[in-house]
Each structure stands twice: as C-alpha cells, then as structure tokens.
Amino acid sequence: MNLIDTENLYCAHNYLPLPVMLVRGRGVYVWDDKGKRYFDMMSAYSAVSHGHLHPRLVSALTAQLTQLTVVSRAFYTDKLAPFLQKACELSGQDKALPMNTGAEAVETAIKAARKWAYKVKGVAADKAEIITCNNNFHGRTITIIGFSTEQQYKDGFGPFPNGFKNIPFGDTDALETAITENTAAFLVEPIQGEGGIIVPPDGYLKKCQEICQKHNVLLICDEIQTGLGRTGKLFACDHDNVTPDGLILGKALGGGMLAVSLFLSRKDVMDVFTPGDHGSTFGGNPLSSVVGFEALKLTVEKQLPDAANTLGEHFMQTLKDMNSPLIKEVRGRGLLIGVEIDGELSSARKVCEALMNNGILTKETHETVVRFAPPLVTTKGELDSALIIIKRVFKSLEEER
Ligand SMILES: *Cc1c(COP(=O)(O)O)cnc(C)c1O
C-alpha cells in the first residue's frame, strides 16, 4: 500500500490534502517523493513565513537542542525572558503569556478578558460578554467554534459556552450597538484569513479602538495569521496605527518549526492572572523560546514586512492585469492574497490542482477562494518565475472551458 492510502487508513479524515507527498523543504521550495520541486505558496497557513529550514532558525534550534529543551514553568529558564522582552518591545505590549498553538493563545485571551471584566471593570459574576465577528476564524476548540458562524465547524460538537455575541465584520456601528455594560472585549482579526482573505474598510481598526476606549472594552486583535510581516507591516494593526489592548500571535512565531504562540497585553489585564490560574506544560519552553526569539529577530533584521509589502503589490497587480474571466476579484494586503474564482466557470480546488501539476502548491479556502501566501523571504526573481506559471495555468483553464 502506498503512503497516501496508509495515511487515509490510519489518520482521521479531518483534512482533504492535495495528492502530493512532500519529503523535503528549503526556502520557498518543497520537494515530493519523486524529486519534483514545488513553490510553496501556502506557507503552512502562514506558519512558514521565514521559508523552510531558514539557516538561522535551524542553528538556533539545534544549538538549544544540545542544552535544554523542556522543564515546564515550574522553574525559570534562561531563554524565556529575552523572547518575551523582544515580543513586548516590538508590539508595544507590557506583558506576554506563552502558549503553543494559536487556539490556546485565543483561549488565554478570552480568559484574560473575562477575568479583567470581573476584577477590574466590575462586571457582575458570570455576565461577561465578548463580541466577535461573523465569518471569524480563531481556532478549533469548543469555546472558539461556539462563536464561529461556519456551520460545518460546529455541526455535531455542541453544546457550546455562553457569553459571545456576533456582529458583522467591518461594521463599526454594529460594534457600538452591541456593547453593553457587560462587554469585556471585542475579539477581531485585522484581516479575516480563513474566512476568505476579507479586508475591512480603511480605518476600521482605528474606529474600533475609539469605540472600545469610549466604553472601557478591550480591543483584542488575533494576528496569528496577519502578524509578523505577512500583510506588509510588522502587525496588521500598524496599518491603522493601532496598538490593541490584547494581541494574539502564533503561526510564524514558531519559525515554521514548532508551535509557539503568545497572548500579549497591558499590565492591568495580564495582572489578573495569579499563580495556578492558567498554564501550559509546554508553553514558554526553552526550545520554543529560542525559535520564537530568532523568528522575531529575523523578521525585523531581514525587513520581511517591507518585502511583503513590495512583493504583495506586484503580485496582486499581476493577478489583476491577467484579466482572467475565471477571476472575480483579487484582494488582500502584503503577501496575504485571495483570488475569488467565478464558481460558474471553475472552482478553487480545480485551480489548486492545476497549479500543483505545474509546480505551485496552495490550497483553497472555502469553495471559491484560492489563497496565495508565499514565504516572506521570497525573492523578486522567484516570484516572477512563479507568476509566469500562474498566468499559464489560468490561460489553459480558460481554454479548457
Ligand atoms: C490559524 C489561526 C488560528 C488557530 O491557530 P492554531 O495554531 O491552528 O490553533 C487562530 N486564529 C487565526 C486568525 C488563525 O489564522
């Protein structure tokens, strides 16, 4: 039996992978078991923004592997402080709480917001509300899918916790209307990634911040996908000059190697946590800390946000200039790009399969959106050779009809 069949036999079918067996990666490229090379335009949902096996990340990781890996936070370790200090300095936040996956950091943010509402804002016991957006994606735990508006994410998994209220994304009037004296926080993605690369109106976050400040509500931005340069600024909030009250990071923070996430916040919010309130066996371990530290350092030193900005504009313009009848819309910011396929003429899955056959890997989000999110270390030359292939693939799909 081949390994695809074996995986299908033993692995839960909670994904539907493209039929390619990857065995090696380097920079923007990955190779399959037959030695064929592909440009990785998926970057593991933006977790591989630094490219595969970045030499600086490999050395940081391997050096730490000879020293100390995991001891739990029952003890201090020498790598956590520099990592969190750097994350706080870069984000303008006071304190950080280290976790592993994105969903765990979102759960941490929810716990912090609720406890802040009770202990600091003075909301009555068990009444705290958190406002979230329609079409959000914040992860897969029961609490988080409970406030998802995607039926498939929820189907068969109820009952769900109370205390969440959904409003339309991009609508500041709806935010102001939804706020009550019990509102603890507004949790929002600066750009909805899994929701289909949805960019809100200009100035949206700035206005959200004003409304939140006026009503003493925490603005918590989930930048797990949009953070660390992906949208052309270090954080997507920077486009609006907003420093949120809480910031959630993950994905690229692990340098494409480990699950590393953080919830960052103001001192008065983070100080609601006392020893024993919350924790994680692996969160903040020395191995994760050195990788997170190096991932942050690389992002700044290599000016990855600027690269994403320049390459992203070129990428989007080229896609628009193709004027393909299959494409309804090209949208995004930096190197987080969504191409809306006309569902009458083709499907996103079909486009992804054709791209794969021509050496470009990416995946659809929903039925109609093809995502292009290459590593931020992509060079102009690498991008241009990929764009030639993308043009050719769209042409041949157009002719096929
Ligand atoms: C991927 C993602 C998450 C969940 O992260 P996991 O590491 O898969 O738990 C949460 N929020 C956003 C915006 C994401 O893109």
Side-chain angles (χ1 to χ4, degrees):
M1 210 190 292
N2 71 37
L3 287 170
I4 289 184
D5 292 337
T6 312
E7 181 170 319
N8 283 331
L9 186 61
Y10 288 104
C11 186
H13 293 179
N14 57 329
Y15 281 86
L16 181 61
L18 288 168
V20 57
M21 179 64 60
L22 301 177
V23 296
R24 193 161 66 85
R26 185 88 206 193
V28 303
Y29 297 111
V30 287
W31 285 262
D32 73 8
D33 53 351
K34 296 172 195 77
K36 180 175 171 185
R37 190 184 81 170
Y38 301 82
F39 195 132
D40 182 3
M41 289 247 173
M42 182 67 198
S43 305
Y45 301 87
S46 300
V48 187
S49 285
H50 303 85
H52 293 277
L53 298 186
H54 193 289
R56 290 246 314 253
L57 288 160
V58 172
S59 3
L61 182 86
T62 48
Q64 190 59 35
L65 272 176
T66 66
Q67 296 299 314
L68 186 67
T69 53
V70 174
V71 290
S72 86
R73 290 203 37 223
F75 314 102
Y76 288 93
T77 60
D78 62 342
K79 298 300 188 292
L80 185 57
F83 169 41
L84 300 187
Q85 182 176 11
K86 181 138 219 102
C88 286
E89 284 172 0
L90 288 175
S91 63
Q93 301 290 338
D94 297 331
K95 286 174 173 262
L97 197 158
M99 300 295 282
N100 311 283
T101 66
E104 289 175 315
V106 173
E107 290 275 348
T108 302
I110 292 168
K111 283 172 122 179
R114 283 182 169 183
K115 197 156 186 183
W116 173 85
Y118 301 127
K119 305 286 173 188
V120 180
K121 182 168 176 171
V123 171
D126 290 342
K127 294 286 183 219
E129 288 169 355
I130 292 174
I131 300 172
T132 55
C133 287
N134 296 341
N135 198 43
N136 70 68
F137 184 84
H138 297 287
R140 298 290 199 163
T141 64
I142 293 285
T143 301
I144 293 170
I145 60 169
F147 56 78
S148 171
T149 52
E150 188 64 46
Q151 271 321 304
Q152 195 201 348
Y153 295 170
K154 313 173 75 142
D155 182 41
F157 298 128
F160 303 110
N162 296 322
F164 298 92
K165 198 191 259 183
N166 281 77
I167 59 169
F169 180 63
D171 184 343
T172 50
D173 291 338
L175 174 61
E176 186 135 40
T177 309
I179 290 174
T180 71
E181 57 179 13
N182 293 330
T183 307
F186 175 46
L187 171 64
V188 65
E189 300 157 84
I191 292 175
Q192 290 187 329
E194 296 320 293
I197 326 284
I198 311 292
V199 184
D202 280 345
Y204 173 59
L205 281 183
K206 190 81 208 164
K207 190 89 218 298
C208 290
Q209 183 181 45
E210 285 164 19
I211 293 168
C212 286
Q213 278 171 355
K214 186 168 132 198
H215 296 279
N216 196 23
V217 165
L218 302 175
L219 173 65
I220 301 179
C221 290
D222 179 347
E223 292 233 31
I224 291 171
Q225 188 154 166
T226 56
L228 303 195
R230 176 55 60 187
T231 71
K233 297 266 189 193
L234 185 55
F235 303 106
C237 289
D238 296 343
H239 290 288
D240 278 18
N241 285 315
V242 163
T243 302
D245 305 298
L247 176 68
I248 309 167
L249 300 178
K251 292 201 166 114
L253 191 59
M257 300 186 169
L258 296 171
V260 184
S261 67
L262 289 177
F263 170 61
L264 300 118
S265 192
R266 287 200 319 248
K267 188 172 179 307
D268 68 307
V269 177
M270 203 64 92
D271 283 351
V272 300
F273 288 115
T274 59
D277 283 357
H278 183 52
S280 163
T281 305
F282 286 94
N285 70 69
L287 206 53
S288 300
S289 297
V290 296
V291 167
F293 180 77
E294 199 62 28
L296 288 169
K297 224 165 143 230
L298 264 180
T299 305
V300 175
E301 283 177 21
K302 302 284 174 194
Q303 301 177 348
L304 297 184
D306 289 343
N309 188 47
T310 311
L311 290 179
E313 274 178 20
H314 173 56
F315 200 151
M316 268 194 275
Q317 197 55 51
T318 308
L319 290 168
K320 286 177 186 161
D321 290 346
M322 280 163 42
N323 276 321
S324 171
L326 303 186
I327 297 178
K328 263 191 172 160
E329 191 189 15
V330 177
R331 54 181 184 247
R333 210 153 199 186
L335 283 175
L336 185 59
I337 300 170
V339 174
E340 181 92 39
I341 303 296
D342 188 334
E344 309 260 292
L345 304 181
S346 191
S347 74
R349 177 85 185 185
K350 239 184 175 162
V351 173
C352 290
E353 281 169 0
L355 286 168
M356 180 186 79
N357 293 332
N358 288 277
I360 291 180
L361 288 184
T362 189
K363 196 138 195 281
E364 74 276 11
T365 165
H366 296 268
E367 265 101 69
T368 54
V369 183
V370 177
R371 168 204 327 250
F372 289 108
L376 309 187
V377 296
T378 303
T379 63
K380 175 87 170 20
E382 286 166 339
L383 180 59
D384 280 334
S385 41
L387 285 170
I388 292 171
I389 300 173
I390 291 171
K391 280 186 206 168
R392 213 174 56 215
V393 165
F394 272 92
K395 269 269 166 298
S396 68
L397 284 172
E398 285 160 27
E399 278 155 18
E400 239 172 59
R401 302 171 30 235

